[in-house]
Amino acid sequence: MEDNRSTVNSEEIRKKIRRSFTLLVFSFGIPVLLIFFTIFRTQFVEGPYWRALAKKQVREDVEVPPSRGNIFARDGSLMASTVPVYALYMDFQAPKADTFLYHLPALCRQLSEKLGDRSPEGYRHHLMKGYQARSREYLITRTRVSHTDLREIQKFALFKKGRFQSGLYEKKYYRREKPYGSLASRTIGDIYGEFEKGGKNGLELQYDSLLRGKPGLSIRQKVAGKYISVITQEPVDGYDVHTTIDVAMQDIVETALIKELSRINATSGSVVLMKVKTGEVLAISNMARADSGFYVESQNFAFSDKSEPGSTFKTFAMMVALEDGVVQPGDSVDTGNGVRLMYGSRMVDHNAHRGGYHMITAAKSIWYSSNVGISYFIDKFYAADPAKFVDGLYKIGLNKPMNLEIPGAANPYIPHPNDSRYWAKTDLPWMSIGYVTQIPPIYTLAFYNAIANDGELMKPYFVHRLTHNGDVVKSFKPKTLNARICSSNTLKEIRLMLDSVVGHGTGGGAKTPVVAVAGKTGTAQLSKGSQGYRDGGKSHQVSFCGYFPADEPEYSAIVVVREPRTEQPSGGKQAGGIFREIAERIYSRSLYQNPKDVDDTTRLLVPPVKSGPYKTTKRLLDEFDIKGVSQEVNDAQWVKSASSTEHVLMHPLDVSAKLVPDVRSMGARDAVYLLGNMGLQVQIVGRGKVVRQSITPGSFYNAGQSILLTLD
């Protein structure tokens, strides 16, 4: 009985255990099944939705832009750099209505004072339009601001509440800035408005692939409502380009060019200054009159202008004749009254209206730039075989491309009698005086530079080296293109002729007591192919190409002026005058006497000192042992200077961000640097120091606004 009872109890216990186990299995099994169901639904039913959402939260391979390399002058001065700028936007769904309207008057006043592109009322009307439209991406101003300005604007009324309460946000862009404004601007070049497109012209285009660098990569992930970036591949910043441009000489060249272009109301002009021994381009200026009436850098005429050079070419024609031994400097030619018929066409001298030169020598035909004289000799000895004359020009190397570093540079064109082009009998005599051929000014200069350089033709170059993070990547050295363009005897005779052009001939306008100058004038009559020009559709181009000092040449330069309007074209007076001023100012830089070397009993009063950067002014005064007294000035400030009998007084100059500073009494270089860095378009007239500025000091201005500085 007890056994039966025991068996029954055991069975009941087992049943209870099975029930408990079954219940336990169900208790754990149902959640597990739910988990598997959820996984299945998430993976296969809702999977596309969640994967798309995840993709929105994480963005892979976001490009990180590199910093574009800088361009420097030969002394390390910055000529082109990249700076970040910001466009200001507003999300009008972020601020509360009462908050926005309460802060609106103060905000409009602050924006107007800071940006200067609208009045406070104008800003109120503009912002209310965005507010009423409930716009989420409303452009506050077209003016793009610097990082410093952005931080200041973020502290304005309403904006200081932060992005999510005020609605203010910014978009970052990059802008290329030239601290020296127009100085060598066309040679330095420009970049496209869309920064990522890179270089547009000049050195910016030539070295674009190196300047632009290589972009990096990052992953952007949204965390707590904000995107954070994790860089997976660092960007490689662009190389820096160190040019041969000398900022001080560039200032001298540009000032002299603009002054003369303005005086004679010329259409455009170019100057290139080279170092004789190396071929380094120290300064280059290309100015053309804009619709505004100011002269601006619009096209690199010195490299791209493929035109007939005119009388500067006569030097090369004489060189060929001397080399071939068919002409001697003392050979005579009767130029008569300055007019000679050649194959039915009139060859005319520039002084024919005064009766001509009559009997002169071959050398004097260069001195006086006689068309009749030069063409007579060349036609007399080469008419039967014009190819021999052209071959002589080719032997010098005048026809060979130099593969210059500036994109868009043209190559010379000197037709040959044996090519497919029709060769007329008039081509030879007219080629000898600078027509029929087409030679860019930089090529003409290179060969005059060779004359100054004992016959060695150097390739003009513009870049000393490329650096990356301070390390030199590549250096550029002087390159000889032709070890000797002619014999020593021919070179000697040519140099004597070029000396006399300035001393006794048409180049008198380039003559100066400061330094001996040698060179050749040029006047070319160019066809414009349209009506409205003098001389039946013709215009004039005048030039002067030479070197200084004439006995031991250090510098060579070419000056070209197109379409002088207020007086008769003159290569000697107009182009030669520019050359003279450049030569005087550059050569005079080495002639200043240190006041420390003057005996105390004869010491002059303290000389006038131009206004400018405090550190530079103080260093200058210390060098010359001149006492300087400053009033609450730190090293970073600009100063106004005033000289007394005992010292130079310096006081701070107000250079507030949106107010035009007083640059009167500054030199052109400092004034252009300061105003250009503030976004103004600077034009200068005259030379010396600034005596007048077209925008009153202390006035508000807009970025891109033009300002005219008068120097004396």
Side-chain angles (χ1 to χ4, degrees):
M1 197 68 183
E2 288 181 359
D3 290 339
N4 289 337
R5 203 179 291 118
S6 177
T7 301
V8 171
N9 289 337
S10 297
E11 184 65 27
E12 288 178 353
I13 290 171
R14 284 194 291 272
K15 287 181 179 180
K16 287 181 179 180
I17 291 173
R18 284 196 295 271
R19 285 197 298 270
S20 298
F21 181 75
T22 301
L23 182 61
L24 184 63
V25 169
F26 272 102
S27 298
F28 282 97
I30 290 173
V32 170
L33 289 174
L34 288 173
I35 290 172
F36 278 110
F37 174 75
T38 302
I39 291 173
F40 176 84
R41 187 179 64 179
T42 301
Q43 182 70 25
F44 298 103
V45 179
E46 299 178 353
Y49 167 78
W50 291 111
R51 281 190 288 273
L53 183 61
K55 193 173 182 180
K56 290 181 179 180
Q57 304 303 308
V58 178
R59 293 174 58 191
E60 297 184 357
D61 296 340
V62 177
E63 189 173 280
V64 181
S67 294
R68 188 173 179 87
N70 298 319
I71 299 179
F72 296 94
R74 67 187 294 116
D75 65 352
S77 300
L78 192 61
M79 300 201 76
S81 64
T82 301
V83 295
V85 291
Y86 301 86
L88 303 178
Y89 289 85
M90 197 163 177
D91 176 4
F92 281 101
Q93 295 187 24
K96 294 180 180 179
D98 56 346
T99 302
F100 171 74
L101 295 174
Y102 174 79
H103 289 288
L104 183 60
L107 176 62
C108 292
R109 176 179 52 79
Q110 290 173 314
L111 287 173
S112 178
E113 291 176 355
K114 179 64 181 176
L115 301 175
D117 56 346
R118 284 189 173 93
S119 65
E121 180 60 24
Y123 264 110
R124 190 196 70 79
H125 178 73
H126 177 64
L127 294 180
M128 284 301 297
K129 284 177 62 178
Y131 173 75
Q132 292 166 356
R134 303 293 290 165
S135 174
R136 304 209 65 173
E137 190 173 349
Y138 192 73
L139 184 64
I140 296 175
T141 174
R142 294 187 180 277
T143 302
R144 293 183 178 180
V145 301
S146 67
H147 185 268
T148 302
D149 289 340
L150 173 64
R151 291 291 172 259
E152 182 181 345
I153 290 170
Q154 288 173 333
K155 297 177 183 179
F156 284 1
L158 180 64
F159 291 164
K160 62 185 178 182
K161 293 181 175 294
R163 173 171 181 172
F164 298 108
Q165 294 187 55
S166 70
L168 172 70
Y169 65 99
E170 72 280 348
K171 292 183 180 180
K172 188 176 182 179
Y173 298 91
Y174 292 93
R175 182 173 66 200
R176 200 68 164 165
E177 287 196 348
K178 298 176 182 176
Y180 285 105
S182 65
L183 292 183
S185 178
R186 185 52 56 186
T187 299
I188 297 301
D190 300 294
I191 65 172
Y192 285 98
E194 298 84 358
F195 193 82
E196 62 278 1
K197 285 187 177 182
K200 185 177 182 181
N201 47 47
L203 295 176
E204 292 276 19
L205 175 59
Q206 176 70 14
Y207 293 97
D208 181 61
S209 61
L210 299 177
L211 283 164
R212 67 167 60 228
K214 296 180 180 179
L217 295 174
S218 70
I219 295 176
R220 294 187 69 203
Q221 185 169 358
K222 195 171 187 180
V223 178
K226 294 184 178 180
Y227 278 106
I228 61 172
S229 296
V230 178
I231 295 178
T232 59
Q233 179 180 326
E234 292 285 348
V236 179
D237 292 340
Y239 289 3
D240 292 330
V241 176
H242 299 259
T243 72
T244 61
I245 299 297
D246 184 298
V247 175
M249 293 185 183
Q250 180 69 37
D251 181 24
I252 291 171
V253 163
E254 188 163 311
T255 300
L257 178 61
I258 293 178
K259 176 184 176 182
E260 183 65 8
L261 295 181
S262 301
R263 186 186 73 82
I264 60 178
N265 192 24
T267 299
S268 62
S270 304
V271 179
V272 184
L273 176 72
M274 275 176 51
K275 197 170 183 179
V276 167
K277 296 299 181 184
T278 62
E280 297 166 88
V281 175
L282 302 174
I284 178 169
S285 184
N286 298 276
M287 290 291 168
R289 184 181 288 279
D291 292 339
S292 63
F294 294 123
Y295 286 96
V296 298
E297 289 252 357
S298 61
Q299 181 180 334
N300 206 332
F301 302 108
F303 295 86
S304 63
D305 191 6
K306 197 171 180 179
S307 61
E308 294 170 314
S311 297
T312 53
F313 193 85
K314 293 172 183 174
T315 301
F316 308 135
M318 180 60 71
M319 186 180 291
V320 171
L322 291 174
E323 277 290 272
D324 288 344
V326 297
V327 174
Q328 297 300 319
D331 291 348
S332 297
V333 54
D334 186 2
T335 63
N337 62 359
V339 180
R340 181 190 295 271
L341 281 178
M342 303 192 76
Y343 305 106
S345 297
R346 295 171 77 247
M347 181 69 70
V348 181
D349 276 341
H350 65 90
N351 72 332
H353 64 288
R354 295 195 298 268
Y357 289 114
H358 296 283
M359 188 67 72
I360 59 174
T361 63
K364 289 184 178 180
S365 67
I366 293 292
W367 299 10
Y368 304 143
S369 198
S370 171
N371 293 335
V372 174
I374 291 292
S375 62
Y376 166 79
F377 285 116
I378 299 303
D379 188 67
K380 176 181 178 180
F381 295 108
Y382 295 100
D385 187 9
K388 184 178 180 181
F389 174 73
V390 178
D391 287 340
L393 297 173
Y394 285 10
K395 184 179 179 181
I396 295 172
L398 279 169
N399 64 314
K400 295 179 181 178
M402 294 183 183
N403 301 316
L404 302 175
E405 301 163 73
I406 302 298
N411 293 323
Y413 170 67
I414 302 177
H416 196 282
N418 297 337
D419 64 18
S420 58
R421 174 186 173 277
Y422 171 73
W423 183 269
K425 288 185 177 182
T426 55
D427 283 353
L428 179 64
W430 263 264
M431 178 183 285
S432 70
I433 64 170
Y435 292 93
V436 183
T437 63
Q438 293 179 330
I439 301 181
I442 188 67
Y443 279 79
T444 300
L445 173 59
F447 283 92
Y448 273 79
N449 189 83
I451 294 170
N453 193 32
D454 297 325
E456 186 178 3
L457 176 64
M458 308 302 297
K459 178 180 178 179
Y461 73 105
F462 314 85
V463 176
H464 272 308
R465 62 189 180 278
L466 304 174
T467 62
H468 190 243
N469 296 327
D471 297 325
V472 177
V473 177
K474 184 176 181 179
S475 295
F476 297 86
K477 303 296 183 183
K479 183 177 181 180
T480 300
L481 298 178
N482 189 343
R484 185 167 291 275
I485 62 172
C486 64
S487 67
S488 297
N489 188 61
T490 296
L491 188 66
K492 177 183 177 182
E493 297 296 346
I494 289 292
R495 289 185 63 164
L496 287 173
M497 292 178 193
L498 297 182
D499 287 346
S500 296
V501 167
V502 177
H504 309 289
T506 57
K511 188 176 182 179
T512 165
V514 175
V515 58
V517 170
K520 179 72 183 73
T521 57
T523 302
Q525 191 178 76
L526 307 179
S527 174
K528 299 299 293 186
S530 62
Q531 296 180 351
Y533 292 90
R534 298 187 303 272
D535 303 321
K538 302 284 184 179
S539 67
H540 288 86
Q541 172 179 289
V542 298
S543 58
F544 185 91
C545 192
Y547 47 86
F548 62 95
D551 50 349
E552 295 182 5
E554 294 182 42
Y555 307 103
S556 64
I558 187 169
V559 179
V560 180
V561 175
R562 300 164 193 84
E563 293 189 71
R565 293 190 175 99
T566 59
E567 64 183 27
Q568 287 296 314
S570 170
K573 181 180 179 181
Q574 294 156 357
I578 296 172
F579 191 100
R580 181 191 67 248
E581 182 169 337
I582 292 170
E584 285 179 346
R585 295 189 62 192
I586 288 177
Y587 194 70
S588 295
R589 294 173 70 203
S590 63
L591 302 180
Y592 290 128
Q593 186 177 31
N594 192 324
K596 290 187 292 187
D597 299 330
V598 180
D599 185 89
D600 285 338
T601 60
T602 60
R603 183 184 294 273
L604 299 176
L605 298 177
V606 174
V609 177
K610 295 177 182 177
S611 302
Y614 171 69
K615 290 177 67 176
T616 303
T617 305
K618 187 176 186 303
R619 185 167 63 247
L620 176 70
L621 297 179
D622 291 344
E623 177 68 22
F624 289 137
D625 195 23
I626 299 174
K627 184 179 179 180
V629 178
S630 59
Q631 297 181 342
E632 299 179 356
V633 178
N634 60 52
D635 286 353
Q637 285 184 303
W638 292 71
V639 295
K640 295 282 287 184
S641 302
S643 299
S644 69
T645 57
E646 298 179 352
H647 61 258
V648 174
L649 179 64
M650 296 173 284
H651 57 270
L653 176 65
D654 185 9
V655 291
S656 302
K658 294 305 296 183
L659 298 177
V660 177
D662 186 357
V663 297
R664 290 171 297 185
S665 80
M666 275 190 194
R669 181 172 62 175
D670 286 335
V672 169
Y673 177 87
L674 177 59
L675 297 174
N677 222 18
M678 299 174 71
L680 286 162
Q681 297 295 320
V682 185
Q683 303 297 326
I684 54 178
V685 175
R687 65 184 179 91
K689 64 181 180 181
V690 180
V691 294
R692 287 189 299 277
Q693 58 187 87
S694 61
I695 302 179
T696 304
S699 303
F700 286 104
Y701 71 94
N702 297 323
Q705 187 174 350
S706 293
I707 181 171
L708 175 65
L709 305 181
T710 303
L711 279 59
D712 196 12

